[in-house]
Structures are given as C-alpha cells and as structure tokens.
CSV table of all heavy atoms in Angstrom, one decimal:
chain,number,residue,atom,x,y,z
A,1,ALA,N,70.1,179.0,90.8
A,1,ALA,CA,70.2,178.5,89.5
A,1,ALA,C,70.5,176.9,89.6
A,1,ALA,O,71.3,176.6,90.5
A,1,ALA,CB,71.3,179.2,88.7
A,2,TYR,N,69.8,176.2,88.6
A,2,TYR,CA,70.1,174.7,88.8
A,2,TYR,C,69.9,174.1,87.4
A,2,TYR,O,69.2,174.6,86.5
A,2,TYR,CB,69.1,174.1,89.8
A,2,TYR,CG,67.7,174.7,89.7
A,2,TYR,CD1,66.9,174.2,88.9
A,2,TYR,CD2,67.4,175.8,90.5
A,2,TYR,CE1,65.5,174.7,88.6
A,2,TYR,CE2,66.1,176.3,90.3
A,2,TYR,CZ,65.2,175.8,89.5
A,2,TYR,OH,63.9,176.3,89.3
A,3,ASP,N,70.3,172.8,87.3
A,3,ASP,CA,70.1,172.1,86.1
A,3,ASP,C,68.6,171.7,85.9
A,3,ASP,O,67.9,171.3,86.7
A,3,ASP,CB,70.8,170.7,86.2
A,3,ASP,CG,70.8,169.8,85.0
A,3,ASP,OD1,69.9,169.9,84.2
A,3,ASP,OD2,71.8,169.0,85.0
A,4,GLY,N,68.1,172.1,84.7
A,4,GLY,CA,66.6,171.9,84.4
A,4,GLY,C,66.1,170.5,84.5
A,4,GLY,O,64.9,170.3,84.7
A,5,SER,N,67.0,169.6,84.4
A,5,SER,CA,66.6,168.2,84.5
A,5,SER,C,66.1,167.8,85.8
A,5,SER,O,65.4,166.8,86.0
A,5,SER,CB,67.7,167.2,84.0
A,5,SER,OG,68.8,167.3,84.9
A,6,ARG,N,66.5,168.6,86.8
A,6,ARG,CA,66.0,168.3,88.2
A,6,ARG,C,64.8,169.2,88.7
A,6,ARG,O,64.3,168.9,89.7
A,6,ARG,CB,67.2,168.7,89.2
A,6,ARG,CG,68.5,167.9,88.9
A,6,ARG,CD,69.6,168.4,89.8
A,6,ARG,NE,69.2,168.2,91.2
A,6,ARG,CZ,69.4,169.2,92.1
A,6,ARG,NH1,70.0,170.4,91.8
A,6,ARG,NH2,69.0,169.0,93.4
A,7,TYR,N,64.3,169.9,87.8
A,7,TYR,CA,63.2,170.9,88.1
A,7,TYR,C,62.0,170.2,88.7
A,7,TYR,O,61.6,170.6,89.7
A,7,TYR,CB,62.9,171.7,86.8
A,7,TYR,CG,61.6,172.6,87.1
A,7,TYR,CD1,61.8,173.8,87.8
A,7,TYR,CD2,60.5,172.3,86.6
A,7,TYR,CE1,60.7,174.6,88.0
A,7,TYR,CE2,59.3,173.2,86.8
A,7,TYR,CZ,59.6,174.3,87.5
A,7,TYR,OH,58.5,175.1,87.8
A,8,ARG,N,61.4,169.3,88.0
A,8,ARG,CA,60.1,168.6,88.4
A,8,ARG,C,60.4,168.0,89.8
A,8,ARG,O,59.4,168.2,90.6
A,8,ARG,CB,59.6,167.7,87.4
A,8,ARG,CG,59.1,168.3,86.2
A,8,ARG,CD,58.2,167.4,85.4
A,8,ARG,NE,57.8,168.0,84.2
A,8,ARG,CZ,56.7,168.7,84.0
A,8,ARG,NH1,55.9,169.0,85.1
A,8,ARG,NH2,56.4,169.3,82.9
A,9,GLU,N,61.4,167.3,90.1
A,9,GLU,CA,61.6,166.7,91.4
A,9,GLU,C,61.7,167.8,92.4
A,9,GLU,O,61.2,167.6,93.6
A,9,GLU,CB,62.7,165.7,91.4
A,9,GLU,CG,64.1,166.4,91.7
A,9,GLU,CD,65.3,165.6,91.7
A,9,GLU,OE1,65.6,165.0,90.7
A,9,GLU,OE2,66.0,165.4,92.7
A,10,LEU,N,62.5,168.8,92.1
A,10,LEU,CA,62.7,169.8,93.1
A,10,LEU,C,61.4,170.6,93.4
A,10,LEU,O,61.2,170.9,94.6
A,10,LEU,CB,63.8,170.8,92.7
A,10,LEU,CG,65.2,170.2,92.6
A,10,LEU,CD1,66.1,171.2,91.9
A,10,LEU,CD2,65.7,169.9,93.9
A,11,ARG,N,60.7,171.0,92.5
A,11,ARG,CA,59.5,171.8,92.7
A,11,ARG,C,58.4,171.1,93.4
A,11,ARG,O,57.7,171.7,94.2
A,11,ARG,CB,59.0,172.4,91.3
A,11,ARG,CG,58.0,171.6,90.6
A,11,ARG,CD,57.4,172.3,89.5
A,11,ARG,NE,56.4,171.4,88.8
A,11,ARG,CZ,55.7,171.7,87.7
A,11,ARG,NH1,55.9,172.9,87.2
A,11,ARG,NH2,54.9,170.9,87.2
A,12,GLU,N,58.2,169.8,93.2
A,12,GLU,CA,57.1,169.1,93.8
A,12,GLU,C,57.3,169.2,95.4
A,12,GLU,O,56.2,169.6,96.0
A,12,GLU,CB,57.2,167.6,93.5
A,12,GLU,CG,56.0,166.8,93.9
A,12,GLU,CD,55.9,165.5,93.3
A,12,GLU,OE1,56.1,165.3,92.1
A,12,GLU,OE2,55.4,164.6,94.0
A,13,LYS,N,58.3,168.9,95.9
A,13,LYS,CA,58.5,169.0,97.4
A,13,LYS,C,58.4,170.5,97.8
A,13,LYS,O,57.7,170.8,98.8
A,13,LYS,CB,59.8,168.3,97.8
A,13,LYS,CG,60.1,168.5,99.3
A,13,LYS,CD,61.4,168.0,99.7
A,13,LYS,CE,61.5,168.2,101.2
A,13,LYS,NZ,62.8,168.4,101.7
A,14,SER,N,59.1,171.3,97.1
A,14,SER,CA,59.2,172.7,97.6
A,14,SER,C,57.9,173.5,97.5
A,14,SER,O,57.6,174.1,98.5
A,14,SER,CB,60.3,173.4,96.6
A,14,SER,OG,61.4,172.7,96.6
A,15,TRP,N,57.2,173.3,96.5
A,15,TRP,CA,56.0,174.1,96.3
A,15,TRP,C,54.9,173.6,97.4
A,15,TRP,O,54.2,174.5,97.9
A,15,TRP,CB,55.4,174.0,94.9
A,15,TRP,CG,56.1,174.7,93.9
A,15,TRP,CD1,57.3,175.4,94.0
A,15,TRP,CD2,55.7,174.9,92.5
A,15,TRP,NE1,57.6,176.0,92.9
A,15,TRP,CE2,56.7,175.7,92.0
A,15,TRP,CE3,54.7,174.4,91.8
A,15,TRP,CZ2,56.6,176.0,90.6
A,15,TRP,CZ3,54.5,174.7,90.5
A,15,TRP,CH2,55.5,175.6,89.9
A,16,LEU,N,54.8,172.3,97.6
A,16,LEU,CA,53.8,171.8,98.6
A,16,LEU,C,54.2,172.3,100.0
A,16,LEU,O,53.3,172.5,100.9
A,16,LEU,CB,53.7,170.3,98.4
A,16,LEU,CG,53.1,169.8,97.1
A,16,LEU,CD1,53.1,168.3,97.1
A,16,LEU,CD2,51.7,170.4,96.9
A,17,ASN,N,55.5,172.4,100.3
A,17,ASN,CA,55.9,172.9,101.6
A,17,ASN,C,55.8,174.4,101.8
A,17,ASN,O,55.5,174.8,102.9
A,17,ASN,CB,57.4,172.4,101.9
A,17,ASN,CG,57.5,171.0,102.1
A,17,ASN,OD1,56.6,170.3,102.5
A,17,ASN,ND2,58.8,170.5,102.0
A,18,LEU,N,56.0,175.1,100.7
A,18,LEU,CA,56.0,176.6,100.8
A,18,LEU,C,54.6,177.2,100.7
A,18,LEU,O,54.3,178.3,101.2
A,18,LEU,CB,56.9,177.2,99.7
A,18,LEU,CG,58.3,177.0,99.9
A,18,LEU,CD1,59.2,177.4,98.8
A,18,LEU,CD2,58.8,177.8,101.2
A,19,TRP,N,53.7,176.5,99.9
A,19,TRP,CA,52.3,177.0,99.7
A,19,TRP,C,51.5,176.1,100.2
A,19,TRP,O,51.0,175.1,99.4
A,19,TRP,CB,52.1,177.4,98.3
A,19,TRP,CG,53.0,178.6,97.9
A,19,TRP,CD1,52.7,179.9,98.1
A,19,TRP,CD2,54.3,178.7,97.2
A,19,TRP,NE1,53.7,180.8,97.7
A,19,TRP,CE2,54.7,180.0,97.2
A,19,TRP,CE3,55.1,177.7,96.8
A,19,TRP,CZ2,55.8,180.4,96.6
A,19,TRP,CZ3,56.3,178.0,96.3
A,19,TRP,CH2,56.7,179.4,96.1
A,20,ASP,N,51.0,176.2,101.5
A,20,ASP,CA,50.1,175.2,102.1
A,20,ASP,C,48.8,174.9,101.4
A,20,ASP,O,48.2,173.9,101.4
A,20,ASP,CB,49.7,175.6,103.6
A,20,ASP,CG,51.0,175.9,104.3
A,20,ASP,OD1,51.9,175.1,104.2
A,20,ASP,OD2,51.0,176.7,105.3
A,21,SER,N,48.2,176.0,100.7
A,21,SER,CA,47.0,175.9,100.0
A,21,SER,C,47.1,175.3,98.6
A,21,SER,O,46.1,175.1,97.9
A,21,SER,CB,46.3,177.3,100.0
A,21,SER,OG,47.1,178.2,99.2
A,22,MET,N,48.3,175.0,98.2
A,22,MET,CA,48.5,174.4,96.8
A,22,MET,C,47.9,173.2,96.6
A,22,MET,O,48.1,172.2,97.4
A,22,MET,CB,50.0,174.5,96.4
A,22,MET,CG,50.2,173.9,95.0
A,22,MET,SD,51.8,174.2,94.4
A,22,MET,CE,51.8,175.9,94.0
A,23,ASP,N,47.1,173.0,95.6
A,23,ASP,CA,46.5,171.7,95.2
A,23,ASP,C,47.6,170.9,94.5
A,23,ASP,O,48.2,171.4,93.5
A,23,ASP,CB,45.4,171.9,94.2
A,23,ASP,CG,44.7,170.6,93.8
A,23,ASP,OD1,45.2,169.6,94.2
A,23,ASP,OD2,43.7,170.8,93.0
A,24,PRO,N,47.9,169.7,95.0
A,24,PRO,CA,48.9,168.8,94.3
A,24,PRO,C,48.7,168.6,92.9
A,24,PRO,O,49.6,168.4,92.1
A,24,PRO,CB,48.9,167.5,95.1
A,24,PRO,CG,48.3,167.9,96.5
A,24,PRO,CD,47.3,169.1,96.2
C-alpha cells in the first residue's frame, strides 16, 4: 500500500523492469 501521488513514478520503473515485453 502506498500514497497514490507516487503511483505514476513508481509504476513506470517497476512495470518496465517486470514485464520485458511491455511497450513504454
């Protein structure tokens, strides 16, 4: 659980590292 104001910054790095095939 986390502060929603941090969501976009956190997901950008996380998703690209976790899902190699993800289109930025």
Side-chain angles (χ1 to χ4, degrees):
Y2 45 84
D3 185 336
S5 67
R6 300 179 57 228
Y7 175 74
R8 288 196 185 272
E9 88 181 59
L10 292 172
R11 86 171 182 182
E12 188 167 322
K13 177 184 181 214
S14 304
W15 286 6
L16 294 174
N17 286 343
L18 289 170
W19 290 279
D20 302 328
S21 61
M22 180 169 281
D23 178 358

